[in-house]
Amino acid sequence: MPGRRTIPPERTVPRARIAVLISGTGSNMAALLYASRLSDAPFEIVLVASNDPSAPGLALAAAEGIATFALAHKGLPRAEHEAQMEAAILAADADYIALAGYMRVITAETVSHWSGRMLNIHPSLLPKYTGLDTHARAIAAGDSHGGVSVHLVTEELDAGEVLGQIAVAIQPGDTADTLARRVLFAEHQLYPRVLADYVSRGNNPEHLLARVRELALALPETHERSSHGSPGFRVGSEKSGKFFAHFADQHHGVEHIGLLVKTGSMDELENLVETQPQAYYKPAYYGASGWVGLILNRPGVDWNHIGEWLERSWRAVAPPRLTKLMNAADDF
Ligand code: GRF
């Protein structure tokens, strides 16, 4: 129809399901909860759980219609208590755990179940001052700033990748309490933002491109070159190199963020798209010459598999002197 605009299909991304663990006031939990009520929030709180049945945050969550779970840790072996907490989290079908003032150390086993899916907020500028009494220690050290960090939880206490920080100036005469109160303002800003960005990474073209770039440029003699305004990756010299991958962010009204790589034949391409439409699509233009689109903005993308596709596509266009080396290495 003349003059008709093509409206790109809406991204219907389900919201990430978060279980929040608290031990006390739960003001960070409340910050996450009210942030989740914003219309564009990429996460929802599906459970608030505590090791202290009298934690004030539980009542707040219940009043807001959020499921709660409480189990006192006293008198229970650590592993037993944790297993019951985790069972409640699994029953709530949570995708991520956000620790928010949860005062129990989590065992390595549980941490490993939630690797990359458990975040914590810690009231210091990590790696400074892991553990307790962070504000008093920052003041005693004469630091100009205290602050807050949100990090991934790993086996080692407060040592996982830092996802975001805010520094808070220490004022003359500050005590641990006065500083803690100001740091809380920063905490309430930081945690919802970092959590939102983190759970959205799989739909964030910049993040996806960064991962592709890392894999593509790890292959021999590769460089990045844009083509028709999109990032692409070539093998060979700057002058005569050939493209082996193209990054496509929602091109031509397609809702996918995709990576285009070469298949072996049209048959293979058609077969992939037909049998695994959740993972592959036939891209405009490139599809006609046997390139397939790998869908990157979907849950559970297997990045090893993306790496294998990149290598295969690289081999298909790399000069023989390079593929020979690669083949020799394979035989070795
Ligand atoms: C916060 O300072 C948080 O950084 C720390 O424990 C405190 C919890 O406060 N881990 P609240 O329960 O969220 O109000």
Side-chain angles (χ1 to χ4, degrees):
M1 214 190 293
R4 203 182 99 183
R5 281 199 310 153
T6 329
I7 299 168
E10 270 186 33
R11 277 186 202 179
T12 44
V13 183
R15 300 205 291 164
R17 298 170 63 82
I18 315 290
V20 186
L21 267 53
I22 63 169
S23 294
T25 315
S27 70
N28 277 290
M29 178 277 295
L32 293 175
L33 167 54
Y34 293 117
S36 79
R37 296 267 156 98
L38 295 170
S39 58
D40 61 350
F43 62 84
E44 62 183 312
I45 309 297
V46 294
L47 178 74
V48 173
S50 180
N51 60 315
D52 179 356
S54 66
L58 286 172
L60 185 150
E64 294 293 353
I66 307 290
T68 61
F69 175 80
L71 179 67
H73 62 274
K74 275 209 181 111
L76 280 179
R78 180 179 297 277
E80 170 64 29
H81 178 261
E82 205 171 276
Q84 290 201 44
M85 295 287 283
E86 193 182 17
I89 293 165
L90 292 171
D93 201 15
D95 305 312
Y96 297 86
I97 297 178
L99 305 178
Y102 187 61
M103 302 306 284
R104 306 279 301 160
V105 171
I106 301 191
T107 61
E109 198 191 334
T110 305
V111 167
S112 75
H113 298 164
W114 295 87
S115 170
R117 296 187 298 137
M118 193 190 288
L119 286 73
N120 182 41
I121 186 158
H122 181 76
S124 80
L125 293 174
L126 289 171
K128 278 189 160 184
Y129 314 126
T130 61
L132 297 173
D133 299 323
T134 53
H135 304 303
R137 286 153 70 200
I139 293 168
D143 292 356
S144 64
H145 289 77
V148 54
S149 308
V150 172
H151 64 96
L152 288 176
V153 176
T154 53
E155 216 176 294
E156 198 184 330
L157 184 72
D158 301 328
E161 181 190 344
V162 171
L163 301 174
Q165 292 185 313
I166 299 179
V168 174
I170 296 180
Q171 295 176 10
D174 253 340
T175 62
D177 281 350
T178 57
L179 177 57
R181 245 175 274 148
R182 286 202 312 287
V183 170
L184 261 192
F185 293 123
E187 294 189 25
H188 298 163
Q189 297 296 317
L190 184 69
Y191 211 172
R193 170 68 72 88
V194 169
L195 183 62
D197 287 350
Y198 190 72
V199 303
S200 309
R201 293 193 321 170
N203 297 305
N204 176 348
E206 277 169 39
H207 169 75
L208 295 171
L209 174 58
R211 291 199 76 158
V212 166
R213 180 178 287 134
E214 202 182 333
L215 292 169
L217 297 182
L219 292 162
E221 279 191 38
T222 49
H223 57 272
E224 187 167 340
R225 169 83 53 91
S226 79
S227 140
H228 304 286
S230 287
F233 298 91
R234 306 201 319 165
V235 52
S237 69
E238 288 279 350
K239 207 168 148 223
S240 62
K242 287 198 175 124
F243 281 101
F244 64 97
H246 297 275
F247 183 81
D249 179 10
Q250 299 190 301
H251 271 182
H252 307 292
V254 172
E255 68 178 308
H256 311 304
I257 300 176
L259 179 66
L260 314 191
V261 289
K262 276 189 156 231
T263 60
S265 67
M266 272 324 259
D267 275 354
E268 185 189 9
L269 162 59
E270 300 289 357
N271 187 43
L272 287 169
V273 173
E274 198 181 307
T275 56
Q276 298 174 69
Q278 75 290 355
Y280 297 96
Y281 67 101
K282 184 173 178 179
Y285 309 114
Y286 286 94
S289 27
W291 292 69
V292 72
L294 313 178
I295 303 173
L296 300 177
N297 56 333
R298 67 189 181 92
V301 181
D302 177 349
W303 283 94
N304 289 327
H305 194 224
I306 303 289
E308 285 161 16
W309 265 114
L310 279 167
E311 188 183 319
R312 196 182 142 185
S313 196
W314 177 95
R315 276 176 193 265
V317 298
R321 73 184 161 79
L322 290 177
T323 48
K324 256 190 230 149
L325 281 179
M326 192 78 120
N327 293 338
D330 281 354
D331 291 344
F332 196 60

